[in-house]
Amino acid sequence: MLTAKATLLRWRLIGLVYIFSLLFLLFQGGKTSFMLFCIFNVLLIYLVFGRWSGIAGVTGIRKLSSGAATIAEQSLSAGSRLDVQISVQIPGVWPIPYVLVRDRLTAHNGKTVPFEASFVPSYRRSGSVSYTTPPLERGVYRFESTECSTRDIFGLFEHKGSFESSVPFSVYPRTVAIRQWKQLKRGAKGPYSTSASRLAAKETTQINGVREYIYGDRLSRIHWNATAKTGQWKSKEFERESLPRTIVVLDRYVGAYEKPEQFELAVSTAASMLEFGFRRGTAVGLVSIGSRTDGFAPTASPDQRELMMKHLVRVQADGDQPLYRALRQSSAITQAGSFVVVVSPQTGEDTIRAMEWLNRTGVVPVLVHLKPGGSERNNVSDIRTGEWMRLLRRNGIAVHTISTLQELPDVLEGGKG
């Protein structure tokens, strides 16, 4: 509205100056007034025809990449930066001094990130701009229509055009590589298993393929032929005996998370454990307890993995019930003999009741407790936290505590609490 009023005011001012120059020519006469009138007419024609500069029919293509790689499904994780290149083509022949490109990246939660750049068109009336996004959070993103605008050489009038060149893409949760899980390897007859009787998976001597090298793999596991052929470190993958089913439970109770970063830690922890299970060929499932409970049956199917990861991309802390009540209402997850890994920051009596109830249903419950960030908060709650954790451990329930994602491999691989 304000832009339209400003444009109308400028045209009125130009019209007023045109009338004055015409009156000056009629009443004064002479070469000077004639030259001024001619110059003003030329400038007026330039301003009027600038509306048909071709910017309204602009077209363009957007290319996305992360580092040197083109964006593909599951190639972006939280914290990654996105390199964006926009190539623009402007039809027509009318001269354009410059083009201003405005782009806007929108997340599924409504958060937007604007970008702005400019270029001078080539003789072919084309050009390109590039920019890099800030580190992206977990979620689904899309680009809104790209707006291109230009002004005349006097900066009086702005002409705009836009084009659509967007494909939604997902930013997956951060994950950390877990080489092995001590408790899962010991299986249902380990020190924490009081209600299940399945055997753990053990590696056989039969090679089942080649996988990417994970830092810490022994030299005996390295597949030297594959490493020499590809130029990248590769490790041997051995066949395994059947593993017990594993179900990861993500607690989304909004009252338990002090900061958004703590919930992101919960999502990343769940995603890392799912990736570990699928990499080892384990039947892994997910139960996400929030405003509604979303469950995914434990299988080793790649399609199921894709569904679970896409769920974790959009999931939010929106639950309204504490852990014990939410688990009781999701009793369908309790399949006797399976591992149930609860990822939650909740503490105290409610957590004890929840884990003991799982224990009575015939599963092997494991709690991955998320400590709140900040040393001051941890120091205050250390004594109280230790009491309920010791009680759970005395009852034969494994409890692991982490405050950052990088602690998860050490906790699971070493069996530390």
Side-chain angles (χ1 to χ4, degrees), residues 240-271:
R240 296 177 172 276
E241 299 177 7
S242 61
L243 282 168
R245 293 173 179 267
T246 304
I247 300 174
V248 179
V249 179
L250 175 62
D251 181 14
R252 290 156 49 193
Y253 178 47
V254 66
Y257 293 96
E258 299 179 357
K259 297 180 180 179
E261 292 79 7
Q262 195 177 17
F263 182 69
E264 293 302 319
L265 173 61
V267 176
S268 295
T269 300

Side-chain angles (χ1 to χ4, degrees), residues 10-31:
R10 292 190 183 101
W11 278 117
R12 287 178 177 176
L13 180 60
I14 292 173
L16 186 61
V17 175
Y18 184 82
I19 292 174
F20 284 153
S21 66
L22 178 60
L23 294 176
F24 182 63
L25 173 64
L26 295 177
F27 292 99
Q28 177 66 29
K31 294 182 179 180

Side-chain angles (χ1 to χ4, degrees), residues 180-185 246 273 276 341 366 400 412:
Q180 62 179 345
W181 184 2
K182 287 286 187 180
Q183 184 180 358
L184 190 63
K185 189 174 182 180
T246 304
M273 302 191 79
F276 168 77
V341 185
V366 179
H400 306 297
L412 298 183

Side-chain angles (χ1 to χ4, degrees), residues 317-334:
D318 54 7
D320 56 0
Q321 292 184 351
L323 183 62
Y324 175 68
R325 188 184 306 173
L327 283 175
R328 289 295 297 266
Q329 294 181 1
S330 308
S331 57
I333 69 171
T334 56

Side-chain angles (χ1 to χ4, degrees), residues 66-87:
S66 181
T70 303
I71 293 302
E73 279 296 315
Q74 299 186 2
S75 61
L76 275 181
S77 60
S80 302
R81 296 176 182 269
L82 192 62
D83 298 322
V84 183
Q85 182 178 15
I86 302 176
S87 300

Side-chain angles (χ1 to χ4, degrees), residues 70-314:
T70 303
I71 293 302
E73 279 296 315
Q74 299 186 2
S75 61
L76 275 181
S77 60
S80 302
R81 296 176 182 269
L82 192 62
D83 298 322
V84 183
Q85 182 178 15
I86 302 176
S87 300
V88 178
Q89 180 67 50
I90 306 167
V93 295
W94 197 256
I96 296 177
Y98 69 94
V99 176
L100 184 64
V101 180
R102 296 185 182 92
D103 214 10
R104 186 179 296 271
L105 180 62
T106 304
H108 71 280
N109 57 7
K111 184 178 180 181
T112 61
V113 183
F115 303 95
E116 188 174 295
S118 62
F119 70 92
V120 177
S122 66
Y123 71 94
R124 294 182 178 178
R125 298 174 65 81
S126 63
S128 63
V129 295
S130 302
Y131 62 86
T132 302
T133 67
L136 299 177
E137 301 174 357
R138 172 182 59 88
V140 179
Y141 292 83
R142 65 177 180 84
F143 286 95
E144 297 183 2
S145 59
T146 303
E147 182 183 282
C148 298
S149 62
T150 186
R151 288 179 178 270
D152 53 78
I153 58 176
F154 305 105
L156 294 176
F157 302 103
E158 184 179 31
H159 309 289
K160 298 180 179 180
S162 62
F163 63 89
E164 293 281 353
S165 178
S166 177
V167 176
F169 64 93
S170 298
V171 177
Y172 288 80
R174 287 186 177 91
T175 57
V176 64
I178 303 171
R179 290 185 296 274
Q180 62 179 345
W181 184 2
K182 287 286 187 180
Q183 184 180 358
L184 190 63
K185 189 174 182 180
R186 287 194 295 266
K189 294 187 177 181
Y192 298 114
S193 304
T194 58
S195 57
S197 60
R198 296 199 178 200
L199 294 176
K202 297 180 180 179
E203 288 185 345
T204 66
T205 57
Q206 182 66 36
I207 296 179
N208 191 35
V210 181
R211 62 168 172 82
E212 296 295 329
Y213 172 81
I214 299 176
Y215 179 78
D217 283 347
R218 298 188 302 271
L219 287 176
S220 59
R221 292 192 66 107
I222 297 178
H223 198 295
W224 296 106
N225 289 340
T227 300
K229 290 179 180 179
T230 62
Q232 297 179 342
W233 289 101
K234 302 289 182 180
S235 296
K236 301 173 185 175
E237 184 69 33
F238 296 96
E239 288 187 355
R240 296 177 172 276
E241 299 177 7
S242 61
L243 282 168
R245 293 173 179 267
T246 304
I247 300 174
V248 179
V249 179
L250 175 62
D251 181 14
R252 290 156 49 193
Y253 178 47
V254 66
Y257 293 96
E258 299 179 357
K259 297 180 180 179
E261 292 79 7
Q262 195 177 17
F263 182 69
E264 293 302 319
L265 173 61
V267 176
S268 295
T269 300
S272 298
M273 302 191 79
L274 292 175
E275 287 289 344
F276 168 77
F278 280 108
R279 195 170 62 247
R280 307 282 280 193
T282 312
V284 186
L286 173 68
V287 175
S288 180
I289 306 175
S291 59
R292 74 171 195 177
T293 299
D294 297 290
F296 302 87
T299 65
S301 168
D303 293 336
Q304 188 78 333
R305 172 187 180 276
E306 179 71 12
L307 289 175
M308 287 189 284
M309 294 304 292
K310 286 187 175 180
H311 171 78
L312 292 179
V313 167
R314 293 178 176 270

